[in-house]
């Protein structure tokens, strides 16, 4: 059974990161979507944290994973996390509600920042591609 994945940083198509190739080969694009959260600049990649009151929301893309068991472990390794609680991990994979461009809400996996944001610079636009 397939599942949705929401990506907002280096895994987005426009970033042309080598790991995006995995999504291009093993997932189906689901279009643009947003997530209720804040985004921060970590240097060469972003971090998102949930925040229902954030405006604008985090901008990203949805991907349908027909075989999540074959893709998610590879992405977990890239992101340095698992879907289990690990306080030492930089990211954690969790389910969240994302809103598709047409307005429908779907449940999707999201890689969320697992550490305090401290003095990190917030990406006010909510879009890693347009800080």
């Amino acid at each position: 059974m397939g599942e949705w994945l929401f990506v907002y940083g280096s895994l987005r198509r426009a970033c042309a990161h080598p790991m995006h190739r995995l999504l291009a080969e093993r997932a189906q694009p689901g279009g643009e979507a947003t997530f209720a959260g804040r985004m921060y600049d970590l240097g060469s990649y972003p971090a998102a944290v949930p925040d229902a009151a954030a405006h604008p929301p985090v901008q990203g893309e949805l991907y349908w994973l027909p075989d999540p068991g074959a893709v998610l472990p590879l992405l977990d390794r890239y992101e340095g996390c698992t879907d289990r609680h690990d306080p030492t991990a930089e990211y954690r994979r969790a389910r969240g509600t994302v809103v598709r461009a047409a307005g429908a809400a779907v449940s999707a996996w999201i890689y969320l920042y697992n550490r305090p944001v401290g003095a990190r610079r917030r990406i006010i636009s909510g879009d890693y591609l347009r800080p």
Side-chain angles (χ1 to χ4, degrees):
M1 182 175 175
E3 299 186 51
W4 288 109
L5 171 70
F6 176 76
V7 299
Y8 57 86
S10 61
L11 291 173
R12 287 173 75 179
R13 177 183 22 244
C15 289
H17 190 280
M19 280 303 289
H20 177 76
R21 189 172 319 129
L22 178 71
L23 292 177
E25 293 171 355
R26 299 187 184 187
Q28 300 163 2
E32 294 183 5
T34 60
F35 168 70
R38 292 174 278 121
M39 184 180 293
Y40 293 88
D41 184 354
L42 300 185
S44 59
Y45 54 94
V49 295
D51 181 351
H55 186 74
V58 173
Q59 306 291 313
E61 300 165 357
L62 269 175
Y63 288 88
W64 179 253
L65 306 176
D67 186 1
V71 177
L72 291 174
L74 300 172
L75 292 175
D76 287 349
R77 192 171 18 246
Y78 166 69
E79 297 286 354
C81 75
T82 69
D83 61 344
R84 295 185 270 314
H85 177 72
D86 179 355
T88 66
E90 186 174 24
Y91 288 87
R92 63 185 170 87
R93 177 166 45 93
R95 288 195 183 276
T97 300
V98 299
V99 179
R100 300 180 79 164
V106 298
S107 176
W109 287 112
I110 306 170
Y111 288 96
L112 299 171
Y113 195 55
N114 197 43
R115 296 181 180 160
V117 292
R120 303 283 188 177
R121 183 183 68 82
R122 183 167 176 204
I123 298 173
I124 300 297
S125 70
D127 190 340
Y128 179 60
L129 301 176
R130 295 174 195 86

